Amino acid sequence: MLYAARNHTLKIDDTTMDYAVFGHGKKKMLILPGLNLRGVKGTAIPLALMYNMFAKEYTVYVFDRKTDIPEGYTVRDIAHDTAKAMGLLGIEKADVFGVSQGGMIAQNLAIDHPELVNKLVLSVTTSRNNATMTETIGRWVKIAENNDHKAIVDDMMPMLYSEASCRKYRILMPILELLGKPHNMQRFVRMAKACFTINTYDNLEKITCPTYVIGGRLDKVLSAEASEEIAEKLGCKLHIYEDLGHA
């Protein structure tokens, strides 16, 4: 199998969690992806190709959220479930890369379970609510609650990608709409609402592991300022891509 890529499902509490794993390395890396419509099920090979530069040094795990998400689920709850999944898989410590909502989860993981996190990368994420997130993700929640799949894909694309990218790949939009169709719109709504529970700003000093923050100046989902204030509070290295957005 390419880069030893494989897909798995983990039994956790009274439900399951999908995850992908690839790589041959002795070190462990955990990737926590952002809010999405489909999840990581069946994506081990594409992920291995995308992140193949890590496959020799690391065994890389990419965690989804739980299959059954209760009402009122928070990003801190997801972090606790992530810690539980790491324990079930025997991952004692990992370098953690959290993207967007995954970065919110990663912050809580590093605060509440510091023994599990060796190094931390927080990409295009935030430590607290802001106007940009309230407007963008709030709109996605309303569209998803109306079960309008095409509308949410049409709205997400220009928020996630630059105008140039949207123009370049507009011919692929019907395919993206098909591939992006969620299995369970209610699950997406509950995951999206979990973003509004992020509240780590006043506890960021509890993150003691080496941390690196990445942002995009044109981020229309969470804002570049959100990345900048995390780095400022932590006193850690920051890189802002001046010509890139959220995705």
Side-chain angles (χ1 to χ4, degrees):
M1 187 68 73
L2 187 65
Y3 299 112
R6 55 247 191 234
N7 298 288
H8 293 288
T9 299
L10 180 69
K11 175 71 175 176
I12 181 168
D13 296 330
D14 57 351
T15 184
T16 57
M17 177 189 290
D18 293 317
Y19 69 98
V21 60
F22 62 89
H24 307 277
K26 292 183 179 180
K27 295 198 295 183
K28 300 294 192 297
M29 176 185 286
L30 177 60
I31 297 179
L32 300 173
L35 176 69
N36 62 82
L37 292 166
R38 293 282 292 196
V40 305
K41 188 173 184 177
T43 63
I45 290 178
L47 286 168
L49 289 170
M50 187 181 301
Y51 294 105
N52 68 81
M53 71 286 294
F54 298 119
K56 184 176 181 180
E57 185 177 1
Y58 289 94
T59 298
V60 183
Y61 296 81
V62 186
F63 282 6
D64 204 340
R65 318 307 183 240
K66 293 194 302 188
T67 302
D68 297 318
I69 294 178
E71 187 71 43
Y73 199 48
T74 70
V75 287
R76 193 177 188 186
D77 291 333
I78 306 173
H80 289 320
D81 286 335
T82 299
K84 188 177 296 184
M86 292 175 72
L88 291 171
L89 293 172
I91 304 171
E92 295 180 356
K93 201 161 195 171
D95 292 345
V96 178
F97 173 34
V99 183
S100 191
Q101 187 185 65
M104 303 176 197
I105 299 162
Q107 291 170 61
N108 280 282
L109 185 68
I111 291 168
D112 292 335
H113 305 276
E115 73 283 356
L116 297 178
V117 183
N118 182 47
K119 295 180 181 179
L120 182 64
V121 176
L122 302 173
S123 181
V124 290
T125 193
T126 186
S127 60
R128 56 185 175 180
N129 289 330
N130 60 49
T132 302
M133 180 173 75
T134 299
E135 179 180 349
T136 301
I137 298 181
R139 187 171 63 251
W140 293 348
V141 167
K142 290 179 181 178
I143 296 172
E145 286 177 333
N146 289 326
N147 205 35
D148 193 337
H149 162 247
K150 183 179 185 303
I152 197 168
V153 174
D154 289 345
D155 193 277
M156 290 179 85
M157 293 303 291
M159 292 294 102
L160 294 173
Y161 299 97
S162 68
E163 291 182 15
S165 293
C166 288
R167 286 195 302 270
K168 183 176 181 180
Y169 297 111
R170 66 183 181 276
I171 195 172
L172 298 177
M173 283 300 291
I175 298 174
L176 293 173
E177 287 172 5
L178 179 63
L179 294 176
K181 188 173 183 178
H183 298 295
N184 185 329
M185 193 69 86
Q186 184 185 66
R187 181 176 183 270
F188 173 80
V189 169
R190 290 179 177 179
M191 286 195 301
K193 287 182 177 179
C195 291
F196 297 118
T197 68
I198 181 63
N199 187 28
T200 56
Y201 182 77
D202 291 333
N203 291 310
L204 286 176
E205 67 275 2
K206 294 181 181 179
I207 297 177
T208 57
C209 63
T211 304
Y212 181 43
V213 178
I214 301 170
R217 181 63 62 197
L218 307 181
D219 187 344
K220 299 176 185 177
V221 179
L222 298 178
S223 81
E225 291 75 19
S227 295
E228 290 172 331
E229 71 173 12
I230 292 173
E232 182 179 7
K233 189 77 181 289
L234 287 173
C236 68
K237 187 176 180 181
L238 165 73
H239 183 79
I240 298 289
Y241 287 93
E242 294 295 334
D243 57 346
L244 296 181
H246 190 73

